[in-house]
Amino acid sequence: MFITFEGIDGAGKSTQVVKLKRHLQERGREVLTLREPGGTPVAEQIRELLLESHNDITSIAELLLFSASRAELMEKIIMPALEDGCDVILDRFFDSTTAYQGYGRGLNLDMLADINRIASHGIRPDITFYLDLTPEDALMRKFSEKSLPLAFESEELDRMENSGLEFYQRVRAGYHAILEAEPQRIVMIDALLTPPEIHRKILSNLHNFEVTSDGKN
Ligand code: TMP
């Protein structure tokens, strides 16, 4: 099974990835967890380039760098793991590109769809969990964790996070548009619920998916 997590920065995806991995392993599944960008030596270097706050990168170059990282990870790690019957849980995938580079940066969505297809080798997630949070709540979380005053641009944030409030509002609207287009694949969960509540919702949706998906799993 190929499961992806999506949401704006600070939505709590990584906590849920860990909980879901543990749950699947307890059921005897072999599980690989990964996050984008990154996951191979070259993809990790691309990640550093993309997130280093002092790098000035054009929107198209940014799109191609995220896509290059994805192409590496797909071919070298994810496709072999899926072929071996492993479950793969991936923190961000092509929906991030559509939301951030498409809706956030304003790049052409048809061009993005083509590039996403190339970078992902045409492979699509079986199910995607989208944790929905307003950018204001996301930043509030981040800064309160560090006991710092709230700021929409800060040295504390990476290059993407420093894109400003309006950028994040467009990204969130983008996620909602993606969800509307593919409600059968994407499950939206309120990220303000507690981590155990979110986990329970994930498990019940996963169960429904397994029951309705012709014994794929
Ligand atoms: P993260 O690993 O902390 O989520 O950081 C990755 C950042 O990169 C995050 O701000 C989302 C952004 N991103 C894109 O803009 N496009 C993409 O395709 C991916 C995978 C991530």
Side-chain angles (χ1 to χ4, degrees):
M1 204 167 14
F2 183 25
I3 302 165
T4 59
F5 277 83
E6 292 287 349
I8 63 171
D9 310 76
K13 294 178 280 94
S14 35
T15 306
Q16 295 303 325
V17 167
V18 171
K19 282 178 178 289
L20 180 58
K21 178 182 192 176
R22 202 176 306 134
H23 169 84
L24 292 172
Q25 282 176 330
E26 281 166 8
R27 283 173 52 192
R29 307 281 311 178
E30 192 135 336
V31 186
L32 188 61
T33 55
L34 298 155
R35 57 116 171 74
E36 279 201 11
T40 73
V42 166
E44 286 297 325
Q45 288 183 54
I46 295 174
R47 179 183 179 88
E48 276 178 35
L49 271 177
L50 280 163
L51 299 186
E52 163 55 53
S53 56
H54 299 294
N55 284 345
D56 182 17
I57 305 177
T58 68
S59 297
I60 296 272
E62 180 181 284
L63 162 70
L64 295 173
L65 286 167
F66 278 116
S67 303
S69 166
R70 179 166 308 132
E72 270 277 307
L73 186 66
M74 283 309 288
E75 197 167 337
K76 290 187 175 156
I77 314 272
I78 295 181
M79 288 161 67
L82 291 172
E83 273 159 32
D84 284 350
C86 224
D87 286 333
V88 175
I89 306 176
L90 181 56
D91 186 342
R92 297 196 181 283
F93 194 43
F94 55 45
D95 295 319
S96 284
T97 311
T98 307
Y100 282 75
Q101 280 65 55
Y103 289 86
R105 300 284 191 231
L107 293 181
N108 180 281
L109 294 175
D110 291 332
M111 170 187 74
L112 273 183
D114 287 340
I115 292 177
N116 280 345
R117 208 172 310 111
I118 293 167
S120 61
H121 291 252
I123 292 173
R124 302 179 69 75
D126 294 304
I127 187 163
T128 297
F129 294 105
Y130 163 60
L131 305 188
D132 186 49
L133 190 66
T134 66
E136 291 88 342
D137 281 334
L139 270 179
M140 221 119 69
R141 262 188 192 179
K142 180 149 192 140
F143 282 86
S144 69
E145 269 165 21
K146 297 186 179 178
S147 305
L148 289 166
L150 181 65
F152 288 102
E153 285 185 30
S154 155
E155 285 287 315
E156 292 297 318
L157 302 175
D158 67 36
R159 194 184 63 84
M160 292 305 297
E161 290 169 330
N162 256 325
S163 301
L165 177 62
E166 283 171 15
F167 173 80
Y168 274 95
Q169 284 165 339
R170 290 196 298 277
V171 171
R172 182 170 181 236
Y175 273 125
H176 289 184
I178 298 168
L179 175 73
E180 211 166 292
E182 274 193 88
Q184 68 293 351
R185 170 173 66 88
I186 306 173
V187 178
M188 178 163 83
I189 299 174
D190 181 355
L192 288 179
L193 295 172
T194 65
E197 283 170 331
I198 296 174
H199 182 57
R200 272 197 295 280
K201 281 188 184 284
I202 287 171
L203 294 191
S204 75
N205 278 285
L206 207 55
H207 177 72
N208 290 344
F209 168 79
E210 285 170 341
V211 169
T212 53
S213 69
D214 325 297
K216 223 182 187 177
N217 181 31

